[in-house]
Amino acid sequence: MEELWPPPSPAAADMIRSICERLLNVADTFAGAISEPAVIALNAPALLADASLLAEDRELNRSDLVQWLTSNIQHPGMRVDPYVGPRAAAYIGDLVSRGIAPDFASGWRAALAVGWRGWLVECVAHCSDPDVLVEVLDKSAHSMMQYALDSVSVLREATLAASMGNANAEAVAMIQLIAGGAPLTQDLAEERLSYRMARQHVALVLWTDDPRSGSSLDKAVAALRASASGRALLVARASAASRWIWLSGPEQPDLHHLEKIVVTANQVRGAVGRPAHGLDGFRSSHQDALAAQAMLTRLGSDRQFTVYADVELVDSLTKDRPSAQRFVARTLGPLAEADVTLQQALLTYVQCGFNTTRAASRLYLHRNTVERRVSRANELSVVKVEDNPAHVAAALLVLDLVPGIVVP
């Protein structure tokens, strides 16, 4: 690329290289600090609602950061060539197919604000020569600002290319409109999607934490199709790492059967919304499934299959991982780090309506064993089950989703 400013002096170049090497060692943490304000500034609510797309956006931010740091190690203080690799290109294509148009310029401005402050702190902390510090800040500011401008330009070009090459986006765009609450008629939705709306729907989100495992998602979808006798099935490719699915029919699908398909698939995870009827039910069940996926992602849970109706209270109480940790610690105290058999006994006891016999049957244990474990668990818990069973059950559900969440 054309160089727009002279290179730094050897002393300034060495300092830039040294700081970049130091930051490269903590790139994940630095990228995390940049990603949160940047994605909000993109002004794309549909992106914020999709955990798979958010994961790809974070990866794009990390990739951009690493590209700038490594380039400045090789050529300190100079212009950096943006790079849109296959994974980033697939992410841009997914955004286009969903009709999502992020404000990349605003996202980059927010990222620069955080990134520049972090860079400034490192420079001041490790550069004791005022003259060298001024030069380091001058050259790195040029490099960083130009990198942002060049990156926004490259992202826009990639978006245009994806738009021209996307011939099958109409169905996905229609689903996005329905899911987003657009005022559409049921007849129009049925015509565009070739899928009946005037029936009961159950939405399922399938995703993988590794976008390279897209074939596993497609195999899971094929297994669902094969087992969906008498049911209509609508599938949308939401992104390289996720699929949106709706099942409809005269009866609700067997959730245990759905779970078996998901957990036997390689590297595939699933979240199911509550069943609901009509166009509004199509939308609300899907929103449930997305909420379950987002909750698992923010809490760092590795659970493979989740039914939103089972975790809705946990979702409401734990809008971020730190608050979930505090809630569990304040509610359960020592029980949060006790043997999991005690936690499971108390949770099952509450779920069975404080009926020891039913809890023992569900746990395949003797009634006396359940009584001892429930008694011991309640002794360890800060909040006693008889005082606030809802809080105790919710905290135990968080632990069930994310074992060891309060362990430092």
Side-chain angles (χ1 to χ4, degrees):
M1 298 183 73
E2 179 188 1
E3 296 297 353
L4 303 178
W5 57 88
S9 67
D14 287 344
M15 182 56 61
I16 292 172
R17 184 180 293 112
S18 173
I19 294 172
C20 286
E21 289 172 345
R22 187 177 294 105
L23 289 174
L24 195 58
N25 290 328
V26 293
D28 288 346
T29 302
F30 199 11
I34 291 172
S35 292
E36 185 173 352
V39 73
I40 294 173
L42 291 175
N43 192 28
L47 194 161
L48 288 171
D50 190 313
S52 293
L53 289 181
L54 279 176
E56 290 306 291
D57 189 77
R58 286 192 292 269
E59 176 60 28
L60 179 62
N61 284 325
R62 184 188 181 282
S63 176
D64 286 336
L65 175 64
V66 170
Q67 173 74 356
W68 189 83
L69 291 174
T70 53
S71 294
N72 270 271
I73 291 172
Q74 298 169 359
H75 307 288
M78 302 310 295
R79 190 176 185 182
V80 175
D81 190 2
Y83 172 66
V84 177
R87 184 169 179 178
Y91 168 60
I92 297 299
D94 291 335
L95 294 178
V96 170
S97 71
R98 297 266 297 276
I100 301 173
D103 185 346
F104 289 121
S106 293
W108 263 99
R109 279 195 293 271
L112 276 175
V114 178
W116 176 252
R117 179 171 178 79
W119 177 259
L120 185 63
V121 169
E122 288 293 316
C123 290
V124 172
H126 296 97
C127 186
S128 57
D129 187 321
D131 292 333
V132 173
L133 176 60
V134 169
E135 188 180 3
V136 165
L137 294 176
D138 178 54
K139 300 300 181 182
S140 58
H142 277 87
S143 178
M144 203 176 290
M145 289 297 297
Q146 190 62 46
Y147 183 55
L149 294 172
D150 291 339
S151 295
V152 170
S153 177
V154 167
L155 286 170
R156 286 173 175 165
E157 290 174 5
T159 300
L160 179 60
S163 300
M164 295 176 65
N166 191 347
N168 301 309
E170 183 177 348
V172 177
M174 174 58 64
I175 290 171
Q176 185 70 44
L177 286 173
I178 297 171
L184 301 171
T185 66
Q186 184 168 282
D187 290 343
L188 177 61
E190 289 183 343
E191 177 186 346
R192 296 289 178 84
L193 297 176
S194 299
Y195 176 83
R196 283 185 59 192
M197 290 291 170
R199 52 170 60 183
Q200 194 86 347
H201 307 280
V202 171
L204 171 66
V205 172
L206 295 183
W207 77 96
T208 175
D209 296 324
D210 183 358
R212 295 170 296 182
S213 300
S215 60
S216 296
L217 286 173
D218 295 331
K219 289 178 181 177
V221 171
L224 286 170
R225 288 189 187 281
S227 66
S229 57
R231 297 186 184 280
L233 191 75
L234 177 64
V235 180
R237 184 187 183 280
S239 71
S242 66
R243 303 290 184 270
W244 292 350
I245 301 168
W246 287 261
L247 300 97
S248 65
E251 298 178 355
Q252 295 181 21
D254 184 345
L255 295 184
H256 293 295
H257 181 65
L258 293 181
E259 181 177 7
K260 184 178 180 181
I261 291 175
V262 172
V263 299
T264 55
N266 183 36
Q267 293 185 304
V268 173
R269 306 172 69 188
V272 181
R274 290 168 297 194
H277 189 271
L279 189 63
D280 287 339
F282 180 94
R283 177 187 301 117
S284 65
S285 187
H286 176 62
Q287 290 171 338
D288 285 351
L290 286 178
Q293 180 195 18
M295 181 198 68
L296 296 172
T297 301
R298 71 173 177 261
L299 294 180
S301 172
D302 59 1
R303 176 175 287 193
Q304 270 194 275
F305 187 82
T306 303
V307 179
Y308 184 68
D310 295 340
V311 297
E312 184 175 10
L313 178 60
V314 176
D315 182 38
S316 299
L317 293 171
T318 59
K319 288 306 181 183
D320 57 72
R321 186 181 175 94
S323 68
Q325 290 172 322
R326 290 192 297 271
F327 172 70
V328 172
R330 286 196 304 261
T331 304
L332 300 182
L335 179 58
E337 300 180 50
D339 192 299
V340 68
T341 59
L342 298 179
Q343 300 165 2
Q344 290 175 342
L346 186 57
L347 177 59
T348 305
Y349 174 67
V350 176
Q351 291 174 330
C352 291
F354 308 101
N355 188 308
T356 307
T357 301
R358 286 174 56 197
S361 176
R362 184 179 293 185
L363 292 169
Y364 301 101
L365 293 172
H366 192 278
R367 188 175 188 278
N368 292 342
T369 302
V370 173
E371 285 182 346
R372 287 195 301 271
R373 290 182 180 178
V374 167
S375 177
R376 177 57 180 157
N378 204 32
E379 289 175 6
L380 292 173
S381 182
V382 172
V383 177
K384 305 307 178 186
V385 69
E386 61 270 18
D387 295 332
N388 198 330
H391 273 217
V392 172
L396 289 168
L397 280 170
V398 174
L399 273 182
D400 189 48
L401 285 170
V402 195
I405 189 173
V406 298
V407 178

